[in-house]
Amino acid sequence: MSASQAFAARAPYRGSGAALRGHPLLRVSNLSAALSVVLVLLQLRGGTVGEVAALLAVPVSAAAVFAADRRYLPTVLLLALPSLGTLSGRDAHGLVSTATAPFVFPEATTFVALAGVELTAPLAILAAAFARVVLELLRGGRVFRGVLPWWLLPLFLVSFLPVLAGGLQGQALGYNRWSQGPRAMLAVAGFLWGIVVVRRAGPEGVARLTRQLTAVVSLAALLLMVRFLHGMMVFLAVGFIGGVLPGLVARRRFLEAGLCALSVAVAALSMTLTTFAEVVLAIGCVVLAAPGFRAAGRMLVRAGVFAACVMSGLLIWAVMQMQGKTALEMVTRDEGLMAYAVFKLMGDRGPLWLAAVEQITGGPYLVVPAGRPLRPQSFDYGGLVYTWEFGAHNTVLELVRNVGVVGGVAALVLMGFAITAAVRLLLSTPSSALRGLAAGFLGVAIVGITTGNFPVYDVGFFLWAVGGMLAGARLYATREALETAGGAA
């Protein structure tokens, strides 16, 4: 432990925010959670009632996030569900089709738009979290001391300026997804917001926060099992469910463990290679990091995480080398897991990765118009060139093509710190609950960065927020270990 970490552990940050804590709406966390449930259910009705409920969810979610209080995490997650975790009339990317889903939100949006961007709860969450981070930096940034190096925060903030300029440029050019660049940076900034939350909770609040996050994962398992949870929230939830499952079994919490196992089984009916890889990596990390494996298991975890990151880059490189005729020969419609995997790489991911690389290398590099559509060549449908706006299906490529090199490097460095902190916590904490959360985070983050867009979409905010909470929890876990050994002042 460095001197700055020791100082930060001995002097836990509290922060102010008394005005928000005293607000009647947020004074009792159960009240805000109950209010969020009502607003979510009203949005199920659709029409004017649903739109008004979605609009009311905006200030409530913003206030809950800005308070940076762990008690309001359920409120924030619930209010984000209609836009990020359920099917709507405009969402064609759910894992369960709209025709078979029992819960369908007619419109998970509001009737208010700013500069062409709809004012929704996820947007309010991103903006309020970033505002809270800026506020903490204006106070001196003491909340981040001992967790992050001093140079990382100004680097991230300065890199946001060309990203914002690129977003405005994309709007001027008429791109539909022009806000994706700034929103990607705000999503990654969730890591900083998560640090603020855990530092405000203090060392005595880490155990409560851990129980709360585990309960949220169990709730997600229930929602997934009853087919209420769809869309990109599934990619976020399944990895964490796999991560906490072994710990629940070890602690003999068989009811929650059974719920998690059933939810994974239900998800398996429509499970993609992404979610399958998340579950396998998460369970593997938590099992190998268990105390019974000792040094051998810890070495395997380090090697496995490092190999997964390296293989991600090699996979992209290998696919990009197989162009034209080679790809056409490899793509098949045969049944079987291997044929499906080859099809996804060659016929789906490969063309998008190639188009994203061409777009990035073609410039510009500093101020990039955000929201530019890709022009991939379909290798499995006769070489047809088509327009694609949904993303590059690789976080690194999707990030750089929307925010530029400077913003992309700053965001990737922050992601690297989040992954490193999770690995260190996984290998050092005696808490099986924290190990499960860290393993779930690693499974979702590594797989999502390789084959998905969601780590830099609005839903990615929650992924990096959990990463920030784990980074702060590691600080206090180290302090508790020092106090037990008599080494802390």
Side-chain angles (χ1 to χ4, degrees):
M1 174 189 270
S2 65
S4 61
Q5 288 178 319
F7 172 82
R10 289 195 301 268
Y13 174 84
R14 294 298 181 185
S16 59
L20 279 172
R21 288 199 302 271
H23 193 281
L25 181 62
L26 298 177
R27 187 175 299 157
V28 180
S29 60
N30 291 335
L31 176 62
S32 63
L35 175 62
S36 64
V37 170
V38 173
L39 293 177
V40 168
L41 293 177
L42 287 176
Q43 290 181 63
L44 275 171
R45 297 188 54 177
T48 303
V49 173
E51 290 184 341
V52 171
L55 185 62
L56 291 176
V58 171
V60 177
S61 58
V65 170
F66 192 81
D69 193 316
R70 64 167 187 83
R71 296 174 298 172
Y72 305 134
L73 292 179
T75 299
V76 176
L77 283 167
L78 285 169
L79 292 176
L81 276 180
S83 296
L84 301 179
T86 55
L87 291 175
S88 69
R90 303 183 307 162
D91 184 2
H93 303 287
L95 294 184
V96 180
S97 66
T98 305
T100 61
F103 301 103
V104 178
F105 283 72
E107 287 292 340
T109 182
T110 68
F111 50 80
V112 177
L114 301 174
V117 178
E118 292 168 344
L119 187 60
T120 60
L123 180 60
I125 290 169
L126 294 177
F130 188 74
R132 180 65 193 229
V133 170
V134 172
L135 176 63
E136 297 299 340
L137 291 175
L138 292 176
R139 290 173 173 172
R142 182 169 170 262
V143 63
F144 304 108
R145 188 172 181 180
V147 183
L148 294 175
W150 66 269
W151 53 266
L152 183 56
L153 298 173
L155 171 65
F156 186 79
L157 288 181
V158 171
S159 67
F160 195 85
L161 297 177
V163 174
L164 183 60
L168 296 176
Q169 194 176 97
Q171 181 197 18
L173 293 173
Y175 295 138
N176 294 328
R177 299 176 64 85
W178 67 267
S179 66
Q180 186 51 50
R183 290 170 92 122
M185 298 294 285
L186 294 177
V188 178
F191 176 68
L192 303 176
W193 180 80
I195 295 174
V196 177
V197 172
V198 78
R199 294 301 305 276
R200 292 193 72 247
E204 69 280 2
V206 170
R208 297 188 183 95
L209 180 61
T210 303
R211 290 194 296 268
Q212 187 177 31
L213 289 175
T214 305
V216 167
V217 173
S218 299
L219 175 62
L222 176 62
L223 295 177
L224 183 61
M225 190 173 66
V226 299
R227 294 190 300 162
F228 187 89
L229 196 65
H230 304 292
M232 290 190 178
M233 274 288 191
V234 173
F235 294 110
L236 184 64
V238 170
F240 280 101
I241 292 171
V244 303
L245 181 57
L248 292 174
V249 174
R251 297 194 301 276
R252 298 184 179 182
R253 294 168 61 173
F254 298 118
L255 179 60
E256 294 174 74
L259 180 63
C260 289
L262 285 174
S263 68
V264 171
V266 170
L269 298 177
S270 56
M271 188 173 284
T272 66
L273 288 176
T274 299
T275 51
F276 178 76
E278 286 178 359
V279 171
V280 171
L281 182 57
I283 293 179
C285 282
V286 74
V287 170
L288 292 176
F293 283 87
R294 302 294 179 183
R298 297 182 179 216
M299 182 185 68
L300 287 173
V301 169
R302 290 191 180 95
V305 171
F306 177 77
C309 295
V310 172
M311 288 300 295
S312 300
L314 292 177
L315 177 64
I316 298 172
W317 177 84
V319 170
M320 289 191 301
Q321 306 309 306
M322 299 178 182
Q323 304 183 37
K325 182 179 179 180
T326 303
L328 284 170
E329 291 174 350
M330 293 188 66
V331 173
T332 65
R333 294 289 183 171
D334 298 334
E335 296 183 357
L337 181 61
M338 184 57 65
Y340 175 69
V342 172
F343 167 74
K344 291 296 289 185
L345 289 176
M346 295 291 99
D348 183 11
R349 299 305 195 253
L352 295 174
W353 292 348
L354 285 170
V357 170
E358 292 175 358
Q359 190 177 81
I360 292 169
T361 55
Y365 305 105
L366 179 60
V367 178
V368 176
R372 294 177 295 172
L374 293 171
R375 299 283 293 168
Q377 180 183 14
S378 174
F379 290 152
D380 58 320
Y381 293 108
L384 175 68
V385 177
Y386 60 99
T387 300
W388 177 260
E389 293 188 349
F390 191 61
H393 278 295
N394 173 267
T395 295
V396 177
L397 298 177
E398 177 69 6
L399 186 64
V400 176
R401 81 179 190 91
N402 276 300
V403 306
V405 174
V406 175
V409 168
L412 290 172
V413 169
L414 203 62
M415 293 181 189
F417 271 94
I419 292 175
T420 302
V423 171
R424 291 176 177 173
L425 178 67
L426 177 71
L427 300 177
S428 63
T429 181
S431 168
S432 61
L434 276 177
R435 278 199 304 273
L437 292 172
F441 170 81
L442 290 172
V444 176
I446 294 175
V447 176
I449 287 174
T450 305
T451 66
N453 306 307
F454 67 90
V456 288
Y457 283 179
D458 291 356
V459 70
F461 168 84
F462 296 101
L463 172 66
W464 302 116
V466 172
M469 295 174 196
L470 295 174
R474 177 177 173 268
L475 179 68
Y476 291 133
T478 305
R479 179 190 182 220
E480 292 169 358
L482 285 177
E483 287 179 340
T484 301

